[in-house]
Amino acid sequence: MSGPIYYGAELVRRVLTWQLVNDAVEEALKAVAAQSRNAPQLPYVVSQPMRSVTIAGTERSQLLFTMPAYVGNYRLTAAGAAGDAGNATRSTLACKLVTSFRGNQELQPPLPSIAANILLFNAGTGEIDAIMSGTDITTWRTAAASVVATKYLYFGRFNAAISELPIKVAIIGCGTQGEIHAVAMCSNFKVEQLLLYNRTATRAQQLADKLRKMTNLQHTPEIIVCNSARDAVRDANVICVATFSREPLFNACDLGSKRGLHINAVGAGEVAFGEVATDVYQQSEVFVDSLANAEHELKGFPVCIAGEVGNVINKDYKPEPTSMTLFQSMGMASEDACVAEAVRSALLTIDS
Ligand SMILES: NC(=O)C1=CN([C@@H]2O[C@H](COP(=O)(O)OP(=O)(O)OC[C@H]3O[C@@H](n4cnc5c(N)ncnc54)[C@H](OP(=O)(O)O)[C@@H]3O)[C@@H](O)[C@H]2O)C=CC1
Ligand SMILES: O=C([O-])C1=[NH+]CCC1
C-alpha cells in the first residue's frame, strides 16, 4: 500500500453541488432511520457509535469530536456522484475528526469555528484509502440536512410542487452556517423573502450584500436585515437558527398564531438546544437526525421526540399538516461518510 490519497479543500469544492450533497445526506438519514426501526425490507447496514468529545482546556469552547460511521448497502444516485453506475450499492467506513473552537472568529484573520478532516477506509480490508478535507463537507452537509428536513417536514404536507410554493425564510445567526443555510434555501426552494438576523448587526448586513451579488442562486429573494430575531421570525414559514447562543433567541409568542411552520435548529451552545425557547419545542412536533445520538447528547431535552427525519422520508411517519415542526440537527457521522464517498466518486469521474 502506498499510503492514503489526500483530497484538499480546493478539490472537494470543485465537486460540491446541492444535488450531490442533498442526495447523499438523504440516503444517510434514511439508512439511520431504517437501522433504528429495524426495517428488514430496507437494505441498509449502519453502525454509528456515539461521537467522542475531547475538551481542549478547561471550558467547552474548544472541542475535538471523533465521529466514526459505517454505512453499508446504500446508493448514490445524484448525477455528479454516479461515476461507474449510480445504481451500484456502496459501503463506506469513515471517521471524521472535527474541532469546534469558538474563539477562532476573533482571530486576525478569522478562522472557521468548525474545521474537519475525514478519513476514508477500505471497507473490505480496513486499510486507510484517503484523507479528505471535511470543513466544507461539514458546512454543506449540515445545510443539506436542513434542506431535506424542510422538504419532507414542511413541503411534504402540501399537495403542490416544491417549486411552486413561495416561502419566507428567517436566518438567525449569520456565521458560516447561517450563510450556507441562506444559500441552500435559495438554491433549493422558491424563497421570496429572506429575513436575516445576527447578534453583531454588521455581519447580517455583510451577508445581505454578499447574497445580493450572488448570481448562482436559483431564486433571488427580497433580503431584509432585521433588528431582532423576533422581527425575523414573525412572518417566516421556515426558520433556520445556527448560533452558539445558550439563551433562547425567540419564543413561541414571537411566532404569532400561525401554523404550518418549520424550524431547523442547527446550533449548539453549552446546551445543544439552548437557542430556541422551551415553549417553541413544546408546541412543535420535534424530529432529530438520530434518536440514539439524541438520547445521548440531548440530556434534559424538554419534549418527547416524534421520530427521525428518515422515518418521514421512509414513510413510517407523517407529521400533522397544520403542526409546527422542528428539526433538531446534531450532525451525524453517516452524513459525512456518504457525502465524502459522493465527493470521491465525483472526483474520480472528472479525473477519468
Ligand atoms: N448540527 C450540525 O450538524 C452542526 C452544527 N453546527 C453548529 O452551528 C452553530 C454555528 O456554527 P458556525 O456558523 O460554523 O459558527 P460561526 O462562528 O461561523 O458563527 C457563529 C454564529 O453564532 C452567533 N453567536 C455566537 N454566540 C451568540 C450568542 N450568545 N447569541 C447570539 N448569537 C451568537 C455569532 O454571532 P456574532 O457574529 O455576533 O458573533 C454567529 O452568527 C454552532 O453552534 C455549531 O456548533 C456546526 C456544524 C454542524
Ligand atoms: O456534526 C458536526 O460535525 C458538528 N456538530 C457540532 C459541531 C460539529
Side-chain angles (χ1 to χ4, degrees), residues 299-320:
K299 297 275 186 261
F301 200 58
V303 290
C304 285
I305 294 168
E308 293 172 333
V309 173
N311 295 140
V312 182
I313 308 173
N314 291 337
K315 299 198 170 61
D316 302 327
Y317 190 95
K318 197 169 166 49
E320 290 298 319

Side-chain angles (χ1 to χ4, degrees), residues 31-32 35 43-49 67-74 90-95 121-124 333-334 337-338:
V32 166
Q35 183 84 3
Y44 307 111
V45 181
V46 180
S47 174
Q48 184 177 247
M67 298 177 63
Y70 172 80
V71 189
N73 299 341
Y74 73 100
R90 301 171 187 252
S91 296
T92 303
L93 177 64
C95 182
F121 298 89
N122 181 311
S334 54
C338 293

Side-chain angles (χ1 to χ4, degrees), residues 123-244:
T125 66
E127 286 182 303
I128 185 161
D129 278 344
I131 301 173
M132 187 177 284
S133 173
T135 303
D136 293 292
I137 290 179
T138 302
T139 307
W140 279 65
R141 69 81 154 127
T142 306
S146 296
V147 164
V148 173
T150 305
K151 178 175 153 192
Y152 286 93
L153 297 177
Y154 180 74
F155 287 99
R157 55 187 105 178
F158 304 110
N159 287 325
I162 289 177
S163 58
E164 284 167 14
L165 277 179
I167 53 170
K168 294 181 181 171
V169 175
I171 303 286
I172 310 300
C174 297
T176 303
Q177 279 302 329
E179 175 172 338
I180 196 80
H181 273 75
V183 171
M185 290 289 146
C186 296
S187 302
N188 288 282
F189 306 122
K190 188 175 180 183
V191 180
E192 61 174 8
Q193 202 174 67
L194 196 60
L195 301 130
L196 305 180
Y197 167 74
N198 195 62
R199 178 180 62 174
T200 310
T202 46
R203 208 164 175 192
Q205 193 55 58
Q206 281 162 5
L207 178 57
D209 295 343
K210 191 170 175 182
L211 290 166
R212 287 189 187 110
K213 286 185 195 135
M214 282 185 188
T215 51
N216 56 345
L217 299 178
Q218 199 134 342
H219 298 283
T220 38
E222 177 191 13
I223 301 175
I224 299 172
V225 175
C226 300
N227 290 325
S228 67
R230 290 172 165 201
D231 286 348
V233 299
R234 193 171 298 121
D235 288 330
N237 311 103
V238 173
I239 299 169
C240 305
V241 48
T243 72
F244 284 107

Side-chain angles (χ1 to χ4, degrees), residues 50-55 60 62-68 95-101 113-117 244 268-269 297 330-331:
M50 296 307 116
R51 56 186 162 200
S52 75
V53 185
T54 303
I55 303 170
R60 288 186 64 89
Q62 302 194 149
L63 305 173
L64 165 66
F65 300 87
T66 319
M67 298 177 63
C95 182
K96 182 168 86 169
L97 301 174
V98 53
T99 51
S100 171
F101 275 51
S113 307
I114 310 284
N117 278 284
F244 284 107
E297 294 190 7
M330 289 165 286

